[in-house]
Amino acid sequence: MALALYRKYRPATFAEVVGQEHVTQPLRTALAAGRVNHAYLFSGPRGCGKTSSARILARSLNCVHGPTPDPCGECPSCIALAPEGPGSLDVVELDAASHGGVDDTRDLRDRAFYMPAESRYRVFIIDEAHMVTTQGFNALLKIVEEPPEHLVFIFATTEPDKVLTTIRSRTHHYPFRLIAPSVLRTMLERLCEQEGAVVEPAVLPLVIRAGGGSARDTLSMLDQLLAGAGPEGVTYRSAVALLGVTDAALLDEVVDALAAGDGGSVFAAVDRVIEAGHDPRRFATDLLQRLRDLVILSAVPDAGAKGLIDAPSDQLESMSAQADRLGAATATRMAEVLHTGLVDMRGTTSPRLVLELLCARMLLPATADGDGALLQRLERMERRMEIAADEPEPTARPVRQPTAVEIPLAEPAGPEPAAEPEQRTGTAERAAERTAAGRPAQGPNAQQRPAASRPAAPARPQRPEATPAGPDLGLPAPPTLRSTARAARPDASRPEQPRPDQARPDQARTTPPDSRRTPPDQARPAARAPEPDRNRPAAGSPAGGQPPGSDRVARPAPAAASSAPTRSAESAPAAHESSPTPASEIEVVDVRRNWPEVLAKVQQRRRTTQILLESATVVALENGVLRLTMPSAALARRVLEPANADLLRAGLKQVLGVDWRIQCDADGPAARPAAAERRPAAAADPWDGAPLPEPPADGPDEEIPDDYGDPAPPTSGSQAPRDPEAMALELLTTQLGARPLEP
Ligand SMILES: [Zn+2]
């Protein structure tokens, strides 16, 4: 019969005891100095080395060279007291669990007075000391109080509090602890090597987790896995099945679904857990453990390297992404919900029901009014601002210097109608200014100006403004690009939506060094080629023109183009135009998993689209239609405008090889009627204040599509912040005194 691992690898000296240095070190020092006490109390959780240490202590005391911290291992006493050795007459082990009665301790007491037969000390090891009865302890009390010189007591217990106080106070108490995962891991790796066992690296964390910090439990677990391993060794699959832990992939799926607020996938996963015969409590525990890891990860990004989280590196990576998606507050709240729920699950007759209710509660932050839910929503808002404020592409950083300026980029939805006329009127003055100084003055206009005058400056170019930017640079390509981009506008369903996109191509033109952007821009118009001719002449003329003059020349083009469009159906016709390719086996969870990659592809083409889509939630996938939701109706429409939708579809095609139609709705309550009235106070409520053309009582000014391109009072345009990010930013600056970080 094979010897169990935990017995085979039982430590024989204090140096071999792992993870208990805080105990073994002082003991070794005391032994080296010859300071031997007559009673010791070793306490701590099971399987962490108490009994082994007690035996080592006996061995160290009785070695011919002893008392010594390092028993020689060669003398008769050392051999007799070695692990699996025959034992010594002078070292008596009493298992109090079975022999804790008063008779046993009386017997022990009587034997204690005899001198040791062959060694220096008589050592009594009383295991499970908390099981000794009170009478039993009382019988021992006298001898522990005034022991003969040759006698040493070692009590080992998991519950030191149950050891009679009068006994305990006469002992030296050494508290053993659970062993750290990193220490256990080192031990397991060494042991697997010694055993010549093949174990997949991903198995070790499972074993360690199952062992709960106890060396004995961990080794027993590994022993069992090794015993059942085939020629290929211990695989992750077999370990998951045997240990009954939840597969990491399933946890990934659930966490992704939770982050996306997709109840369908969450409940489907729960169903699979139950169908597979797993214990719902176990699943909840594992999910809680995962959420714990995510909370740690959001607080300590390099938690893996620091050993706070024990997981394979690839899983660490995916967990970092999950932590980002979920956010610390969300993860914490969900963990709290789960933790409370686990207590409820304990006695329930239907753990599945409780588990499903827990999932429902985790999915519904908006219904809770606690701090956690509030934080979660705040976190979501902050994340959006972060996305807008900080650039994920390090290469672009130097070019896009004015970070603060960049933020308003997303703002165009709002001031659109007014912005154009304003720019138009300001042209002459601007041109003069440009020639004079050519540097930013004040206000938003000032930022646009430099963009045109200084091509390299990535400031914030705006649509009409940027038109001359191309000529400024003397780049041949830009005009074509712009003309096509402009031509695209008329066929856009919503005239006001093209705005943000337009800023994009313009920017690409104004920042020629950023080569990454230019090609995609070229590609994009090509896809939308239909009516480029219409504006080409107009756009073409400024192409070769000089900076200041061409500015004015170009103006008519946008005006003509922008006045052309009329309001049409809002339901993103462009997005639907191509026939859907039924996605074969790709499910919504796959989309969600690959969403970051899709966004990365989109980002290569155009950053605003990517920023916009960061707010999107992948809700469903049916018959080749990918359904998204956005926080507001206005944002949803923006997603659907051809430029954005096409990019998204292209991204999906690149990453997943699918050609889906995109559908996008607003989620949550859309604050439509309030939009206009709230506008002045928009800063107070960024989401509700999002631009919505619906309100009937708003006056012409609110009908964005109609007045789009028409001159409107400049003040209203520049004054009404309508983009959530911009409003959130304003809120932060005005209410909290926040200031954008200077690059
Ligand atoms: Zn020895």
Side-chain angles (χ1 to χ4, degrees), residues 59-60 62-66 68 70-79:
R59 200 174 180 225
S60 303
N62 279 345
C63 176
V64 288
H65 306 291
T68 168
D70 300 299
C72 69
E74 287 162 1
C75 66
S77 166
C78 281
I79 292 171

PDB file of all heavy atoms in Angstrom, residues 59-60 62-66 68 70-79, ligand 1:
ATOM      1  N   ARG A  59      11.716  15.074  19.654  1.00  0.00           N
ATOM      2  CA  ARG A  59      12.927  14.532  19.044  1.00  0.00           C
ATOM      3  C   ARG A  59      14.129  15.433  19.332  1.00  0.00           C
ATOM      4  O   ARG A  59      15.228  14.959  19.630  1.00  0.00           O
ATOM      5  CB  ARG A  59      12.678  14.452  17.532  1.00  0.00           C
ATOM      6  CG  ARG A  59      13.586  13.501  16.801  1.00  0.00           C
ATOM      7  CD  ARG A  59      13.127  13.416  15.355  1.00  0.00           C
ATOM      8  NE  ARG A  59      13.962  12.508  14.596  1.00  0.00           N
ATOM      9  CZ  ARG A  59      14.441  12.790  13.386  1.00  0.00           C
ATOM     10  NH1 ARG A  59      14.173  13.958  12.833  1.00  0.00           N
ATOM     11  NH2 ARG A  59      15.182  11.915  12.754  1.00  0.00           N
ATOM     12  N   SER A  60      13.864  16.745  19.218  1.00  0.00           N
ATOM     13  CA  SER A  60      14.942  17.704  19.453  1.00  0.00           C
ATOM     14  C   SER A  60      15.415  17.663  20.907  1.00  0.00           C
ATOM     15  O   SER A  60      16.596  17.828  21.196  1.00  0.00           O
ATOM     16  CB  SER A  60      14.479  19.124  19.130  1.00  0.00           C
ATOM     17  OG  SER A  60      14.034  19.195  17.806  1.00  0.00           O
ATOM     18  N   ASN A  62      15.259  15.074  22.940  1.00  0.00           N
ATOM     19  CA  ASN A  62      15.839  13.800  23.356  1.00  0.00           C
ATOM     20  C   ASN A  62      17.039  13.343  22.534  1.00  0.00           C
ATOM     21  O   ASN A  62      17.609  12.300  22.803  1.00  0.00           O
ATOM     22  CB  ASN A  62      14.773  12.708  23.329  1.00  0.00           C
ATOM     23  CG  ASN A  62      13.922  12.746  24.591  1.00  0.00           C
ATOM     24  OD1 ASN A  62      14.315  13.400  25.560  1.00  0.00           O
ATOM     25  ND2 ASN A  62      12.800  12.079  24.590  1.00  0.00           N
ATOM     26  N   CYS A  63      17.401  14.082  21.527  1.00  0.00           N
ATOM     27  CA  CYS A  63      18.570  13.729  20.735  1.00  0.00           C
ATOM     28  C   CYS A  63      19.791  13.713  21.655  1.00  0.00           C
ATOM     29  O   CYS A  63      19.875  14.513  22.601  1.00  0.00           O
ATOM     30  CB  CYS A  63      18.752  14.734  19.602  1.00  0.00           C
ATOM     31  SG  CYS A  63      20.244  14.471  18.630  1.00  0.00           S
ATOM     32  N   VAL A  64      20.728  12.804  21.378  1.00  0.00           N
ATOM     33  CA  VAL A  64      21.898  12.737  22.242  1.00  0.00           C
ATOM     34  C   VAL A  64      22.657  14.053  22.260  1.00  0.00           C
ATOM     35  O   VAL A  64      23.325  14.382  23.227  1.00  0.00           O
ATOM     36  CB  VAL A  64      22.858  11.585  21.825  1.00  0.00           C
ATOM     37  CG1 VAL A  64      22.255  10.249  22.187  1.00  0.00           C
ATOM     38  CG2 VAL A  64      23.194  11.671  20.361  1.00  0.00           C
ATOM     39  N   HIS A  65      22.556  14.802  21.192  1.00  0.00           N
ATOM     40  CA  HIS A  65      23.234  16.091  21.149  1.00  0.00           C
ATOM     41  C   HIS A  65      22.352  17.210  21.680  1.00  0.00           C
ATOM     42  O   HIS A  65      22.704  18.373  21.601  1.00  0.00           O
ATOM     43  CB  HIS A  65      23.645  16.434  19.713  1.00  0.00           C
ATOM     44  CG  HIS A  65      24.454  15.361  19.069  1.00  0.00           C
ATOM     45  ND1 HIS A  65      25.729  15.055  19.464  1.00  0.00           N
ATOM     46  CD2 HIS A  65      24.143  14.500  18.073  1.00  0.00           C
ATOM     47  CE1 HIS A  65      26.173  14.062  18.721  1.00  0.00           C
ATOM     48  NE2 HIS A  65      25.242  13.688  17.876  1.00  0.00           N
ATOM     49  N   GLY A  66      21.164  16.836  22.166  1.00  0.00           N
ATOM     50  CA  GLY A  66      20.165  17.838  22.485  1.00  0.00           C
ATOM     51  C   GLY A  66      20.300  18.402  23.878  1.00  0.00           C
ATOM     52  O   GLY A  66      21.196  18.015  24.608  1.00  0.00           O
ATOM     53  N   THR A  68      18.558  20.336  21.030  1.00  0.00           N
ATOM     54  CA  THR A  68      19.121  21.001  19.862  1.00  0.00           C
ATOM     55  C   THR A  68      18.032  21.334  18.860  1.00  0.00           C
ATOM     56  O   THR A  68      17.060  20.585  18.741  1.00  0.00           O
ATOM     57  CB  THR A  68      20.155  20.091  19.160  1.00  0.00           C
ATOM     58  OG1 THR A  68      20.474  20.629  17.895  1.00  0.00           O
ATOM     59  CG2 THR A  68      19.612  18.693  18.977  1.00  0.00           C
ATOM     60  N   ASP A  70      18.377  21.191  15.778  1.00  0.00           N
ATOM     61  CA  ASP A  70      18.538  20.300  14.620  1.00  0.00           C
ATOM     62  C   ASP A  70      18.956  18.906  15.083  1.00  0.00           C
ATOM     63  O   ASP A  70      20.141  18.610  15.190  1.00  0.00           O
ATOM     64  CB  ASP A  70      19.599  20.870  13.674  1.00  0.00           C
ATOM     65  CG  ASP A  70      19.210  22.237  13.160  1.00  0.00           C
ATOM     66  OD1 ASP A  70      18.156  22.323  12.494  1.00  0.00           O
ATOM     67  OD2 ASP A  70      19.922  23.226  13.460  1.00  0.00           O
ATOM     68  N   PRO A  71      17.943  18.056  15.360  1.00  0.00           N
ATOM     69  CA  PRO A  71      18.255  16.698  15.805  1.00  0.00           C
ATOM     70  C   PRO A  71      19.139  15.980  14.776  1.00  0.00           C
ATOM     71  O   PRO A  71      18.952  16.145  13.572  1.00  0.00           O
ATOM     72  CB  PRO A  71      16.894  16.029  15.941  1.00  0.00           C
ATOM     73  CG  PRO A  71      15.926  16.923  15.251  1.00  0.00           C
ATOM     74  CD  PRO A  71      16.501  18.290  15.264  1.00  0.00           C
ATOM     75  N   CYS A  72      20.086  15.198  15.297  1.00  0.00           N
ATOM     76  CA  CYS A  72      21.084  14.610  14.415  1.00  0.00           C
ATOM     77  C   CYS A  72      20.494  13.607  13.440  1.00  0.00           C
ATOM     78  O   CYS A  72      20.983  13.443  12.334  1.00  0.00           O
ATOM     79  CB  CYS A  72      22.181  13.957  15.259  1.00  0.00           C
ATOM     80  SG  CYS A  72      21.600  12.486  16.129  1.00  0.00           S
ATOM     81  N   GLY A  73      19.436  12.895  13.886  1.00  0.00           N
ATOM     82  CA  GLY A  73      18.822  11.929  12.976  1.00  0.00           C
ATOM     83  C   GLY A  73      19.554  10.609  12.946  1.00  0.00           C
ATOM     84  O   GLY A  73      19.172   9.703  12.194  1.00  0.00           O
ATOM     85  N   GLU A  74      20.606  10.470  13.777  1.00  0.00           N
ATOM     86  CA  GLU A  74      21.410   9.247  13.727  1.00  0.00           C
ATOM     87  C   GLU A  74      21.410   8.484  15.055  1.00  0.00           C
ATOM     88  O   GLU A  74      21.558   7.273  15.080  1.00  0.00           O
ATOM     89  CB  GLU A  74      22.852   9.600  13.358  1.00  0.00           C
ATOM     90  CG  GLU A  74      22.997   9.980  11.900  1.00  0.00           C
ATOM     91  CD  GLU A  74      24.287  10.742  11.631  1.00  0.00           C
ATOM     92  OE1 GLU A  74      25.070  10.943  12.580  1.00  0.00           O
ATOM     93  OE2 GLU A  74      24.493  11.142  10.479  1.00  0.00           O
ATOM     94  N   CYS A  75      21.203   9.223  16.128  1.00  0.00           N
ATOM     95  CA  CYS A  75      21.204   8.554  17.419  1.00  0.00           C
ATOM     96  C   CYS A  75      19.957   7.681  17.562  1.00  0.00           C
ATOM     97  O   CYS A  75      18.992   7.865  16.817  1.00  0.00           O
ATOM     98  CB  CYS A  75      21.288   9.582  18.533  1.00  0.00           C
ATOM     99  SG  CYS A  75      19.843  10.626  18.634  1.00  0.00           S
ATOM    100  N   PRO A  76      19.972   6.749  18.497  1.00  0.00           N
ATOM    101  CA  PRO A  76      18.813   5.853  18.641  1.00  0.00           C
ATOM    102  C   PRO A  76      17.513   6.609  18.871  1.00  0.00           C
ATOM    103  O   PRO A  76      16.469   6.240  18.324  1.00  0.00           O
ATOM    104  CB  PRO A  76      19.183   5.018  19.884  1.00  0.00           C
ATOM    105  CG  PRO A  76      20.660   5.124  20.022  1.00  0.00           C
ATOM    106  CD  PRO A  76      21.074   6.422  19.402  1.00  0.00           C
ATOM    107  N   SER A  77      17.597   7.668  19.682  1.00  0.00           N
ATOM    108  CA  SER A  77      16.387   8.429  19.969  1.00  0.00           C
ATOM    109  C   SER A  77      15.848   9.076  18.697  1.00  0.00           C
ATOM    110  O   SER A  77      14.645   9.049  18.427  1.00  0.00           O
ATOM    111  CB  SER A  77      16.681   9.493  21.017  1.00  0.00           C
ATOM    112  OG  SER A  77      15.630  10.430  21.062  1.00  0.00           O
ATOM    113  N   CYS A  78      16.743   9.676  17.924  1.00  0.00           N
ATOM    114  CA  CYS A  78      16.300  10.335  16.695  1.00  0.00           C
ATOM    115  C   CYS A  78      15.681   9.329  15.743  1.00  0.00           C
ATOM    116  O   CYS A  78      14.659   9.595  15.100  1.00  0.00           O
ATOM    117  CB  CYS A  78      17.488  11.029  16.008  1.00  0.00           C
ATOM    118  SG  CYS A  78      17.901  12.602  16.764  1.00  0.00           S
ATOM    119  N   ILE A  79      16.303   8.159  15.653  1.00  0.00           N
ATOM    120  CA  ILE A  79      15.766   7.139  14.753  1.00  0.00           C
ATOM    121  C   ILE A  79      14.414   6.659  15.251  1.00  0.00           C
ATOM    122  O   ILE A  79      13.461   6.524  14.480  1.00  0.00           O
ATOM    123  CB  ILE A  79      16.768   5.959  14.651  1.00  0.00           C
ATOM    124  CG1 ILE A  79      18.024   6.451  13.907  1.00  0.00           C
ATOM    125  CG2 ILE A  79      16.132   4.784  13.918  1.00  0.00           C
ATOM    126  CD1 ILE A  79      19.149   5.453  13.942  1.00  0.00           C
TER     127      ILE A  79
HETATM  128 ZN    ZN B   1      19.927  12.598  17.551  1.00  0.00          ZN
END
